[in-house]
Structures are given as C-alpha cells and as structure tokens.
Amino acid sequence: EDQVTQSPEALRLQEGESSSLNCSYTVSGLRGLFWYRQDPGKGPEFLFTLYSAGEEKEKERLKATLTKKESFLHITAPKPEDSATYLCAVQGQGTDKLIFGTGTRLQVFP
Amino acid sequence: SAVISQKPSRDICQRGTSLTIQCQVDSQVTMMFWYRQQPGQSLTLIATANQGSEATYESGFVIDKFPISRPNLTFSTLTVSNMSPEDSSIYLCSVEVVSDEQYFGPGTRLTVT
C-alpha cells in the first residue's frame, strides 16, 4: 500500500536557524513526489515536484531533494513568514491520485 | 497556475441535511479532484470529477453520499448528503493545470451539529 510519513510532526526554529523536514514514502512506481505549503485556513500551495532520485529543486530559502525512499525539504535561514504546515505527497504510476502525509507544522520565531 | 474559488468558504449544518460545495476555475482544465482534510489528518482523495461522465470514486467513498457534478471544464460541485458530525471536515477541490502539478482551492470548512 502506498504510504507517506512525515517527520517531525512539529518543528520550532529560531529565525536564521536552518533545518530539514523529512518525508519517507513507499509507492509502487513513483510518478512524482510533491511538496506543498499550507497556511491556516487556506488550501495547500504548490511548491515542488520531484521525479527521480538525485533530483533537487530550489525556491527562495527552500530546497527539496529526493532519494529512492525519502525526500527532504531543507530550509535555509528561515524567516517568521516561513511558518506554515509543509505537506508531502506521492503519486504512483498510472494514477492522478495524490497520497499525502500528515505534514510538519513549522514555527519560526524572531 | 490557476485561480480556484470555492463556495461557501464555511458552513454550519444540521445532521441529516445536505450541502453543495462549488468549485470554479479561471481556465479550462481536464482534471478536477475533490479532497477531504479531517482535523489532524492528511488530505484524502474523495473522487475525480470527470467532465461529461460520472465521477470516479476512491475506496470508502460512494456516489450516494458524495454526488459530484462536472458540467463543463471550469466548474464542479460536490454534495455532502445526509450529513453526520463525522462529515465535519475541510473539503478542497484541486485541478491539474500542467501535467503533474495539482493546485488547490481555498477549501470549504464544514461543521455538522
């Protein structure tokens, strides 16, 4: 069964303190791995799609990496506005269905 | 990307009643989806809304409980029927504009009393 596990559940960082969020997955044939950001009361905001092991993508202070079993979302020198829940999802071959993890709630304090 | 709107943004309903949620996209899209996000849980796909044909439902979701319409390429509705408190959740529509990129609407927060 396809599954996504995210850790930690919650993360508190001081402004400027870099860290990484983890997304472990099992899927029968990976079509894509997705990262989203979700602010309270809003829908998920698309960040990245990764397709194959070794791939990396960057956007501002965020960098996503992918291996055959997990993905990391690295946050460099975070700011308070980076506070949000970060969701990871996988999509298997032959389907449009996204399977989501439960997310990591990030809080960045000034 | 795409601009996606949902109506209503939130509602409080009595058990046994039904609520229809609307999803409007600012461009024509082939793929539209409906998800549920229960408190403290991950997003779960309810169904894929197919234009011109019946929706495709995921395991655990049935048409009688969650009827879906997709009259054109920019609009879809999800009805939550005969509601119970367990249906309290956030309901989200999403669209695939570019291959392998799904964009989500703002969600509808439903509370059933």
Side-chain angles (χ1 to χ4, degrees):
Chain A
E1 182 182 346
D2 299 345
Q3 194 169 1
V4 176
T5 303
Q6 291 188 247
S7 61
E9 288 187 10
L11 182 62
R12 292 163 57 100
L13 297 175
Q14 200 75 30
E15 184 173 3
E17 180 187 1
S18 301
S19 188
S20 297
L21 313 182
N22 177 263
C23 171
S24 298
Y25 66 91
T26 54
V27 64
S28 51
L30 180 69
R31 176 177 166 184
L33 184 139
F34 303 80
W35 282 99
Y36 287 86
R37 168 190 172 130
Q38 187 172 28
D39 292 294
K42 296 188 176 182
E45 174 191 345
F46 173 81
L47 293 174
F48 306 108
T49 307
L50 301 168
Y51 295 99
S52 57
E55 188 175 1
E56 299 182 353
K57 286 194 176 174
E58 290 188 60
K59 180 179 181 179
E60 296 181 356
R61 294 177 292 281
L62 302 176
K63 183 168 88 171
T65 62
L66 181 65
T67 73
K68 288 186 178 180
K69 294 183 178 181
E70 58 191 349
S71 176
F72 291 93
L73 185 66
H74 306 280
I75 303 177
T76 302
K79 298 182 178 181
E81 53 261 43
D82 294 321
S83 298
T85 296
Y86 290 86
L87 301 171
C88 173
V90 296
Q91 189 177 53
Q93 292 291 343
T95 178
D96 296 301
K97 176 181 180 179
L98 295 181
I99 299 186
F100 281 85
T102 51
T104 293
R105 188 173 67 255
L106 174 66
Q107 292 178 294
V108 182
F109 295 91
Chain B
S1 65
V3 177
I4 305 166
S5 60
Q6 287 186 232
K7 290 182 182 179
S9 59
R10 58 177 62 228
D11 206 342
I12 301 173
C13 302
Q14 292 190 344
R15 70 169 67 213
T17 63
S18 298
L19 176 71
T20 295
I21 302 168
Q22 299 179 6
C23 178
Q24 180 76 53
V25 189
D26 69 341
S27 59
Q28 293 187 340
V29 295
T30 303
M31 307 298 294
M32 291 183 78
F33 309 90
W34 286 98
Y35 286 81
R36 181 172 73 181
Q37 187 174 29
Q38 294 182 304
Q41 298 188 26
S42 58
L43 279 81
T44 302
L45 180 64
I46 297 171
T48 302
N50 302 307
Q51 197 267 329
S53 64
E54 273 194 7
T56 305
Y57 290 84
E58 296 297 313
S59 176
F61 298 97
V62 295
I63 187 171
D64 290 346
K65 176 67 175 178
F66 298 102
I68 287 171
S69 77
R70 177 87 192 270
N72 57 52
L73 294 176
T74 64
F75 185 79
S76 179
T77 67
L78 169 75
T79 299
V80 187
S81 304
N82 188 24
M83 289 184 284
S84 66
E86 292 73 34
D87 295 319
S88 296
S89 185
I90 300 172
Y91 293 85
L92 299 130
C93 70
S94 74
V95 303
E96 188 174 273
V97 177
V98 177
S99 180
D100 298 335
E101 290 184 13
Q102 282 191 28
Y103 294 87
F104 284 81
T108 295
R109 184 179 296 270
L110 171 63
T111 303
V112 183
T113 60

